[in-house]
Amino acid sequence: MTPRPRLALAFLAVLAAAALLGAPLLGSQAVSLADVLHGDPTAAAIFWQIRLPRVLLALLAGAGLAVSGLGFQTLFRNELAEPYTLGVASGAALGAVLALRLEEATAWLGLPVVALGSFLGALSATALVVGLSLRRRDTTTSTLLLAGIAVSLSCSAIILFLQYLADSTQTFRMVRWMMGGLAVVGYREVLWVLPWVLGGAAVLFFLRWDLNLLLMGEELAASRGVDLGRLRLKVLLAASLMIGALVAVAGPIGFVGLMVPHVLRRQVGHDHLFLAPACLLGGGAFLVLCDLVARTLMAPAELPVGVLTALLGGPFFLWLLIWRSKR
Amino acid sequence: MTALLTARGLTYEADGRTILGPLDLEVHPGECLVLVGPNGAGKTTLLRLLTGLLRPRAGELFWRGRPYAALSRRELARCIAYVPQIRPARVPLTVEEVVLLGRYPHLSALQWAPKTADFTAVDEALAVVGVQELRRRPVDELSGGERQAVFIAAALAQEAELLVLDEPTIHLDARHQSDLAGLLLRLAGAAGRTVVLATHDLNLASLLGDRLLALAGGCILAAGRPAEILQPDLLERLFRARFEIVRPGERPVTLLRLEPTP
C-alpha cells in the first residue's frame, strides 16, 4: 500500500472536524443543531456547557497523546515506545495518587494539587528513565525501555501500597482517577491543556528534519549534523510536558499514543512533515469517538474512556508483537 | 600545501584499554587516503574520530586549522560527509527522501520546504551515482549494491569537502563491487574529491589510494604510495597472512594465498 500523505491528511482534517461538530450533538440525550442555534436553552446548555468542552478536551488529549507517542517512537526507533511503556504515565499516576493521599485542596495555577502531582510525576519519571540510561552511558532502545518498565512497575507497586493504606473513600477516588476519564470538565481544563499540546506539537513539528534523519539510525543522523543529546532532550521534554499536562486533567488514558501513530504510518508514510499533523488530527478524532462510545454505550451510565482505550489497546499491543515477530 | 584535516596525538580508549593511538595524521585536499589493516586494527574507530562522532581521549583534531571543539555538529557536517558501514535494517523512506535528508546541515528548522539549491544537489548526487531511476523506490526494496549507492548519493548531497567511507564494498557481490569501484574512482580521480576510506579489499585500495595507511593494533605500521605498502613482507606482518603480487607496478594487484602455511 503506497502512502498518500496529502489525501490522508485531508481525510483526517474532515474526520476531526466532523467529530468535533457531531460528537457534542450525540449522547444520552441527542440534541439537534437547529435547536442549539435557535436558542433552545436546554439544548444550548447541553451543547455549549456540558458536551463541547468535554469533546474539545478529548480532541486535545487524543492529539497530545498521539503526537507524544510519535515523538517517543521515533526517538527510540521502536514502535512499542509510548508514554506508558516508558513509565512517564505511571510516574504521573503516582504523583496524582500521592497528591490525593495528601488530601490537599490547595489550588495551583488554577488547578488542584492532584494536577500538580501528576505533572511533577511525569517529569520525574522521564528524568529518572533518561538519567538511568545516561548514567550507564547507554541510551540504546533496550536500556531506555527496560528502565521505563522498571520505573512503571515500581510506581504501580507504590500506588497499590498507597491504596492499601488509604480509607475506602480515598481508595475509590484513586481507582476511579486511574481509569482515566473526561467526565467532569469545563473550559478551564481545555484552556489549561491547550498551550501544552500546541507547544509540544510545534516543537516536534519544527524538529521534523531531525526526526526524519533519526529513522536512518543515530550514527547517520549524527554524521549529518544532528546534535543527538540536544535532540533527545528537546523531544523528551516536549513529550513529557504534554503527557504531564494531559494526565493532570484526564487521568491516565492508555494506548492512544501506541495505536494512532502506528495505524497512521501505513496511510501517511514516515515523513514527519505529514505524520506529526496527521497524529494531531487522527489522535484527536480517535479519542473523541472513543469518548462518545464511552458515554453512550451504557447511557445514562458512563464508562471511563481510559477503560475503553485499554480494552482496544491490549489486543492491539499483542497483535503488534505477533505481527512484528513475523517480520 | 595546507592540510584539510589534521590530527595530533589522537588517542581513543574504551573500558580503560587503549584502542587507538597516539597517532598523527594529515588529509590533504584532493587526495584519496585508504586505511588498510586487520579486523580490530582501529580503522572504524579512526574514521569515527575523524568525522567527530567519537570524542578522542587525548589529542586534537583540526579542520583547516580550526579545532573540532569550536565547530558545531552542523558545521562539521558541512565539511565532512560519512557513509558508515552499519546501517539500520529498515529505512522506511524512499531513495529521494534519504538523499534529500543529506541536505540536513544546509536546512533551517524554520524553513517550510527544501530550497531549489537542495533539489539541485539531490539531482546531481543521484546522477553522479547513477541511480536516478530509483528515486521513487522505497530504500527497503533495493538490493545491497543499490542501497550502498543511495547512501553514497546522500553523502554527496551533503556537499561536504571530505567524503569518508567505511568498508563501502563489504557484503557486495562481484558485479556490484566492480560498479562501486568505478564510481569511487570517478569521485576520487576525475572529480578530484578528497576521500578517506577504510577497506579490506587491497586491490580497491591499490586502485583508489593516493596514499595507503597500514593500521595495526591502533597504530600506524606504515604509510605511503600503494607500491610502497602493498609488498609481501609488509602485508604478512600487517595481516599475518601470505600475499602474492600478481601484477607489480605503481598500483600493484595482490592475491591472498589461501593454502595453509607449511
Side-chain angles (χ1 to χ4, degrees), chain A residues 42-209:
Chain A
T42 321
I46 290 176
F47 187 91
W48 294 111
Q49 298 307 317
I50 299 172
R51 288 191 191 147
L52 191 62
R54 177 172 180 156
V55 167
L56 279 171
L57 186 70
L59 192 78
L60 284 172
L65 289 168
V67 155
S68 57
L70 172 68
F72 284 129
Q73 283 164 26
T74 305
L75 192 62
F76 302 132
R77 289 186 313 293
N78 191 320
E79 288 161 357
L80 299 179
E82 66 130 12
Y84 290 77
T85 46
L86 290 174
V88 182
S90 314
L94 176 59
V97 167
L98 269 175
L100 279 171
R101 183 86 178 93
L102 289 173
E103 201 61 81
E104 294 273 344
T106 357
W108 177 80
L109 282 183
L111 277 181
V113 77
V114 177
L116 178 63
S118 73
F119 199 65
L120 291 179
L123 292 183
S124 321
T126 314
L128 192 62
V129 169
V130 176
L132 272 174
S133 15
L134 286 179
R135 202 182 144 71
R136 285 190 51 191
R137 292 172 182 280
D138 176 11
T139 44
T140 52
T141 306
S142 54
T143 312
L144 278 161
L145 283 181
L146 281 175
I149 288 166
V151 167
S152 217
L153 289 174
S154 311
C155 288
S156 307
I158 300 171
I159 291 172
L160 283 177
F161 182 68
L162 288 171
Q163 281 176 354
Y164 184 76
L165 291 183
D167 62 43
S168 55
T169 322
Q170 275 182 339
T171 308
F172 177 77
R173 283 181 58 196
M174 288 174 188
V175 171
R176 191 65 190 71
W177 187 86
M178 280 169 54
M179 286 176 184
L182 303 157
V184 197
V185 286
Y187 288 105
R188 195 185 62 171
E189 282 85 352
V190 174
L191 285 176
W192 198 80
V193 158
L194 186 70
W196 298 105
V197 172
L198 288 186
V203 169
L204 291 183
F205 185 73
F206 280 121
L207 291 172
R208 62 191 182 280
W209 300 115

Side-chain angles (χ1 to χ4, degrees), chain A residues 258-283:
Chain A
L258 181 79
M259 288 188 278
V260 173
H262 188 82
V263 169
L264 289 181
R265 239 177 237 121
R266 312 184 83 182
Q267 321 296 332
V268 182
H270 287 71
D271 186 348
H272 290 78
L273 172 65
F274 299 107
L275 194 52
C279 281
L280 270 183
L281 294 169

